[in-house]
Amino acid sequence: MYKMSNNPTSKFQDVPWKHRFFSSMIGFAVNFSRRSDGTINRYIMNLFDFKAPPSQQPFDGVKTSDTVVDATRNLYFRLFLPSLNQDDDVPVIVYFHGGGFAYLSASSIPCDDFCRRLCKKTGAVIISVNYRLAPEHKYPSQYDDGFDVLKFIDDNANAKNLPLNVNLKQCFIAGDSAGGNLAHHVAVKACEYGLRNVKLIGLIAIQPFFGGEERTESETRIVDAPMISVKGTDWLWKAFLPEGSDRNHPACNVFGPKSVDDISRLKFPATMVVVGGFDPMHDWQIRYYEGLKKCEKEACLIEYPHAFHTFYGVPELKETCLLMEAVKGFMERLIN
């Protein structure tokens, strides 16, 4: 195991000024929108959460469109279609965005940008899920929304909104931060349910949002990390988890003392876990990987020692380029 630096902000200095400015603006909005009663001022947050409209005309080699699954809960997904040979089979990635279960959407510019780049790099069709947010909608709303989209795809395998050459037997489930947590729990539900047309062959968890009551070494040491703090994650868990729950709830601490899901018995997809050395949640992500291995599931760990939380939102960083290559290689290995 590498020894991590005690200067979590050093790598952030490599980020172009426009991204640092945007990140600071989002951070300000997140902190300012939180009310003392545990709710969020959505009006303030929406002023800073800029949206990207769907683009029927190819933009950077990718077209997008939105499909409504349930209008009553604003449940929809954004479809990203790569420019490719229509005779080729293409895999699909069902993607869940980050934001601590409480912020952002499938149409938020950072989420749209990342999925667009992932679509172009992997050549896969991306289905980016817009799920309900906490604290207005607590656990298990987000998991229910994610699984309902997966069932919608399974039940509408021949729907006109999906390209004819998409191969649902080559389906990956993925997410960043809270989306990585979502991907895990939705995958568990899918394994228990038994889908007819969709076959999950891989899970991509990018800096997944896990935790527990215990304070880990990375949480106590990394106190000045950009984008996230232990105080912030505590607030988010309280906003998301059921009233009266602590952070050992199985939604948060999946292999902890209150865990109820034994995935040893499930045909769980091969999993790629991505961690960053400057992420306070680093140790919880390592424990997630170790938990998968203990359950005898196929898992690989990708570590970037100098990466901060959400580094993948900055395309200029070396680690972001390496991540895209790693995701592509992981998918190709499982497909072939």
Side-chain angles (χ1 to χ4, degrees):
M1 182 67 67
Y2 59 81
K3 181 174 179 171
M4 292 182 289
S5 166
N6 287 320
N7 183 12
T9 59
S10 60
K11 187 64 180 179
F12 200 57
Q13 302 306 312
D14 297 337
V15 175
W17 71 267
K18 63 178 182 179
H19 289 287
R20 277 188 281 166
F21 174 78
F22 185 77
S23 297
S24 298
M25 188 171 61
I26 289 292
F28 169 81
V30 166
N31 292 328
F32 195 64
S33 66
R34 291 176 182 167
R35 299 189 179 105
S36 59
D37 63 357
T39 61
I40 294 174
N41 187 323
R42 291 294 176 192
Y43 175 77
I44 290 177
M45 190 60 211
N46 289 338
L47 292 176
F48 297 88
D49 183 12
F50 301 113
K51 309 295 187 183
S55 55
Q56 288 291 343
Q57 295 301 315
F59 174 69
D60 200 20
V62 176
K63 295 191 298 183
T64 62
S65 62
D66 292 342
T67 297
V68 175
V69 176
D70 184 349
T72 63
R73 47 181 158 148
N74 196 29
L75 179 60
Y76 71 88
F77 61 83
R78 176 155 294 184
L79 187 71
F80 294 78
L81 298 178
S83 299
L84 38 74
N85 188 332
Q86 294 301 308
D87 294 329
D88 294 336
D89 257 7
V90 293
V92 60
I93 301 174
V94 178
Y95 199 87
F96 301 105
H97 66 81
F101 301 108
Y103 295 99
L104 304 179
S105 70
S107 62
S108 295
I109 285 179
C111 308
D112 185 88
D113 284 350
F114 180 76
C115 285
R116 189 178 297 275
R117 286 187 280 117
L118 187 63
C119 176
K120 184 176 180 181
K121 181 65 180 180
T122 63
V125 169
I126 311 288
I127 293 173
S128 180
V129 180
N130 191 74
Y131 52 86
R132 288 171 290 178
L133 299 177
E136 296 91 338
H137 305 281
K138 287 179 171 285
Y139 165 93
S141 300
Q142 294 76 5
Y143 299 162
D144 291 342
D145 289 352
F147 183 59
D148 285 349
V149 168
L150 204 57
K151 285 196 298 182
F152 178 87
I153 298 164
D154 192 58
D155 294 338
N156 297 275
N158 298 316
K160 63 181 180 180
N161 57 302
L162 292 177
L164 294 176
N165 59 332
V166 69
N167 189 343
L168 295 179
K169 302 300 182 185
Q170 297 177 355
C171 184
F172 294 79
I173 192 166
D176 67 282
S177 195
N181 176 303
L182 250 167
H184 168 82
H185 288 285
V186 171
V188 170
K189 289 170 71 75
C191 291
E192 293 173 336
Y193 177 80
L195 300 169
R196 294 175 295 120
N197 297 301
V198 172
K199 181 181 180 181
L200 295 180
I201 64 172
L203 190 157
I204 303 162
I206 304 173
Q207 295 183 293
F209 186 32
F210 295 117
E213 281 296 293
E214 174 193 350
R215 288 297 186 217
T216 65
E217 190 274 341
S218 63
E219 285 178 309
T220 56
R221 175 175 51 82
I222 305 175
V223 295
D224 295 317
M227 304 305 299
I228 199 166
S229 68
V230 173
K231 183 180 179 180
T233 58
D234 284 353
W235 193 97
L236 290 167
W237 284 123
K238 188 174 182 180
F240 169 67
L241 294 173
E243 294 294 338
S245 300
D246 62 25
R247 292 189 303 275
N248 280 334
H249 188 284
C252 177
N253 194 350
V254 292
F255 296 117
K258 297 180 181 179
S259 177
V260 293
D261 291 326
D262 179 15
I263 68 168
S264 300
R265 59 186 172 80
L266 300 178
K267 191 174 181 181
F268 199 75
T271 303
M272 170 181 170
V273 184
V274 179
V275 304
F278 290 160
D279 187 345
M281 292 183 289
H282 171 275
D283 293 353
W284 287 113
Q285 294 155 3
I286 294 291
R287 291 188 189 187
Y288 173 62
Y289 164 76
E290 292 172 344
L292 292 172
K293 299 294 284 187
K294 187 176 181 179
C295 292
E296 299 183 336
K297 301 306 172 186
E298 181 181 349
C300 65
L301 181 67
I302 308 293
E303 299 188 76
Y304 300 113
H306 302 292
F308 53 87
H309 197 71
T310 71
F311 73 93
Y312 42 84
V314 185
E316 294 86 352
L317 289 179
K318 176 184 68 175
E319 288 85 352
T320 302
C321 299
L322 293 173
L323 171 63
M324 289 293 184
E325 290 292 342
V327 170
K328 183 179 179 181
F330 176 73
M331 293 177 64
E332 289 177 346
R333 178 175 64 82
L334 292 178
I335 290 171
N336 296 327

